[in-house]
Amino acid sequence: MRIIFFVVILAAGLMYSYVAFTNLDFLTMTGRLGPGFFPRGIGVLMVVFTLWSMSAELRPSAAEGRSDVGGYAGQVALIMGFGVAYVLSLGLIGGIPATVIFLFVTLSVLNRNRLLQNGLVALLVPAAIYVLFDRLLNAAIPEGVLPLPF
Amino acid sequence: MDLFADLWMGLSVAISPINLVYLLIGAMVGMIVGIIPGFGPAAGLAILLPVTFGMDPIGAVMMLAAIYYGAMYGGTITSILLNTPGESATVASTFDGYPLAQKGRAGPALVMQAVASFTGGTVGVILITLLAPAFSHVARNFGPPEYFLLALLGMLTLIVMIGENWKLGVLSALIGFALGTVGVDLETGQSRYTFGSAELIGGIHFIPIAIGLFGLGELYFAFYRGLHRIGSGSIAQYDRKKGFWPDLADWVDTKFTLVRGSILGFVVGVIPGAGATIASLMAYSFERSFSKRPKNFGKGEMAGLVAPEAANNAASSGAMIPLLTLGIPGSASTAVLLAAFLLWGMRPGPLFMTQNPEFAWGLIASMYLGNMALLALNIFAIPLFVQIIRVPYRILAPIVLVICTLGTFSVSSSMIEVYLMFTAGIVGFFMRLYGFSPAALVLGLVLGPLAEEALRQTLTISRGSFWIFLERNGSIGIIVTTAVLLLVLPLMQRIGRRAGALKQGTVSEAEDAGV
């Protein structure tokens, strides 16, 4: 996993550098430093440092005593998955209903066998957020396809 | 006398009823942010920043600053009662704080940490009051070359403090710089890395990235470490009626510790990149060497709690000096504060205090009041915070995720920014997991555009010659300062680590938390 992360950064660095060298001018028409000056330097340094870090990573001694998958990786994937589903549902059913459902489902998995507690949190937290954001701060909350009746 | 007139003017701004309300809310939120493990002041500031957009800028910055230094107070409560630092700057407080609680002295430990935090915070603000105008005066002749070098100094010191993972720190900073170049180039009007998207013309906004990295990224990392599986059953008990207050010996033994910790913390805090974590660990180490009972350290010695507490609060005040007078944020939290200033159209730097006296002195004056409010909150609202500690992380985490999401959306009603925040959260998790530095990325994102603008102006002035950096007194001064700091900072880090070696478990916690 670690090396994949480096490969992703390397790919991003190469693409960033490519655009800097091909699409962005080093100097302006008047001879001043152009929009490509800074990105070119950053892009080259990004690629150099990623390769340097990767070469250290690929040495056999680097892998000794280190495990890529450890801790509670499954739980992290679970909460990330719930998070993504929550964000995608915001535009469909609206901020407050999506929050109620997200909290109830997530808590049902993380905080098992406490139905009443989970239900109360899933209702009271969105209610408090609605009052704070919508009524007190006049801040926007995502609206779904059907707006809230209140 | 000007100093007192300025401070008086600042006090008259800070003491308005609405600003006092904001200050109290900030102090309270800061305490709560400090209490929640894996949720530092940078995350708290980033998440609360959108909420402040409807407020008057002075009140908003007072509130954000109170969250920043309030977190230092709150983080210690869990260090003492749960042996879990609320945030990295309170790691050293577990060394003697928790053993004190185990000995049945949780009450005196809680009161003494509040007093130490108040002393450190107040000494820090007094020193800001005295020194900030002098710093501003020295930096008044700075031009683009000096601004570029200052941005570089801020980055370099942070990267040096990352230690053996410095290459990954540089890479993190470069990613931040790269993100900072997205959008329209202000000098030529040419689009950079927008790929035809109208959403990216204005650049990548700081807030979704900061919320993602420090809010969601830290939350995922806390899950990875299994924080959601820790219950609240191991909270140390204390009795508010019997043996709650410190005895005379506690006060007498620690009176000089308070002063030493505060001054050392402030000095370390002023140095960009050093931060409150190193300050508290250094203060602990120094105090042990000063003590007549060094063998008692780690077993419940009050001075071992008071020194790091005074130091981390003084350091958080000290970090305001480079921020206000030079425009350099030395840490992730102060980078978020700098972003807040920039969002309100104010650019901290040498002229900031003379051009915005009401704002600057209002903020400084509010820090005196904020520390008083936090002292009272710390002593008299402990039962409330203990109730918050009892809420398991598995319940808090989904609520934090919701606040991060809706807070990001509220900034500009854009789902794109929510997607960006989630992506930053996932990237932030892997960065923490693999030893990268989210703080360096955020600093790069904030300082990158400023550094690019300054460098282009500098090279235009010098007609492309880099020798200009060696022809100006200000530039030479900054280069020398940078060189000295690059030598001194690793030594400071080593002293801090040696202090941490006392408690191996908690040190790995400090290293986990990063700089």
Side-chain angles (χ1 to χ4, degrees), chain B residues 408-421:
Chain B
T408 305
F409 182 83
S410 71
V411 178
S412 48
S413 305
S414 160
M415 281 309 288
I416 297 284
E417 297 207 341
V418 176
Y419 301 145
L420 198 62
M421 186 273 295

Side-chain angles (χ1 to χ4, degrees), chain A residues 1-2 5-6 9 15-16 19-20 23-25 28 32-35 37-39 42 45-46 49-50 52-53 68 70-73 75-76 79-80 83-84 86-87 90 99 102-103 106-107 110-111 114 117 121 125 129 133 137 139-142, chain B residues 51 166-168 170-171 174-175 177-178 181 185 187-188 190-193 195 219-220 223-226 228-229 394-395 398-399 401-403 405-407 409-410 413 415 418-419 422 426-427 429-431 433-434 436 448 451-452 455-456 459-460:
Chain A
M1 279 296 280
R2 196 179 165 94
F5 192 62
F6 276 108
I9 295 174
M15 198 192 80
Y16 183 86
V19 174
N23 291 3
L24 302 173
D25 302 320
T28 63
R32 296 171 72 164
L33 290 169
F37 167 71
F38 208 59
I42 292 168
L45 285 173
M46 250 177 98
F49 271 90
T50 312
W52 191 1
S53 304
D68 254 2
Y72 294 91
Q75 299 279 299
V76 176
I79 189 107
M80 275 182 187
V84 171
Y86 171 56
V87 169
L90 287 174
T99 304
F102 165 74
L103 284 177
T106 313
L107 289 173
L110 296 176
N111 192 38
R114 289 188 176 91
Q117 189 184 44
V121 173
V125 169
I129 287 174
F133 278 61
L137 298 169
I141 295 176
Chain B
V51 174
W166 67 272
K167 273 182 283 190
L168 300 183
V170 173
L171 199 48
L174 288 168
I175 296 170
F177 277 137
T181 59
D185 174 39
E187 216 164 294
T188 60
Q190 191 177 341
S191 287
R192 300 192 293 190
Y193 303 101
F195 305 107
L219 183 146
Y220 294 145
F223 263 76
Y224 185 80
R225 290 190 297 158
H228 60 294
R229 298 177 79 92
R394 60 179 180 271
I395 294 179
I399 298 172
L401 191 145
V402 164
I403 295 170
T405 309
L406 298 181
F409 182 83
S410 71
S413 305
M415 281 309 288
V418 176
Y419 301 145
F422 255 84
I426 293 169
V427 172
F429 165 69
F430 284 110
M431 288 181 77
L433 191 60
Y434 297 142
F436 285 73
E452 182 184 10
L455 181 61
R456 283 166 78 175
L459 294 178
T460 303

Side-chain angles (χ1 to χ4, degrees), chain B residues 30-31 33-36 69-98 101 106 109-114 116-117 280 304-306 308-310 312-313 378 385 389:
Chain B
M31 288 282 296
V33 161
I35 282 171
I36 302 174
Y69 53 80
M72 300 292 158
Y73 282 75
T76 318
I77 296 180
T78 52
S79 295
I80 293 170
L81 296 181
L82 208 57
N83 201 25
T84 305
E87 59 116 19
S88 61
T90 58
V91 167
S93 308
T94 60
F95 298 169
D96 282 283
Y98 190 64
L110 288 166
V111 175
M112 286 307 290
Q113 72 85 13
S117 298
S280 60
L305 171 68
V306 165
E309 270 312 295
N312 66 24
N313 282 273
N378 242 261
F385 297 114
I389 296 172

Side-chain angles (χ1 to χ4, degrees), chain B residues 447-477:
Chain B
L447 291 179
L450 305 178
E452 182 184 10
E453 187 191 349
L455 181 61
R456 283 166 78 175
Q457 286 173 350
T458 302
L459 294 178
T460 303
I461 295 167
S462 70
R463 296 174 185 271
S465 167
F466 281 89
W467 289 108
I468 189 171
F469 291 115
L470 297 175
E471 289 165 358
R472 296 165 62 102
N473 290 338
S475 298
I476 294 170

Side-chain angles (χ1 to χ4, degrees), chain B residues 332 336 348 356 388 391 436 443 501:
Chain B
V336 183
N356 306 281
I388 296 170
V391 180
F436 285 73
L443 225 56

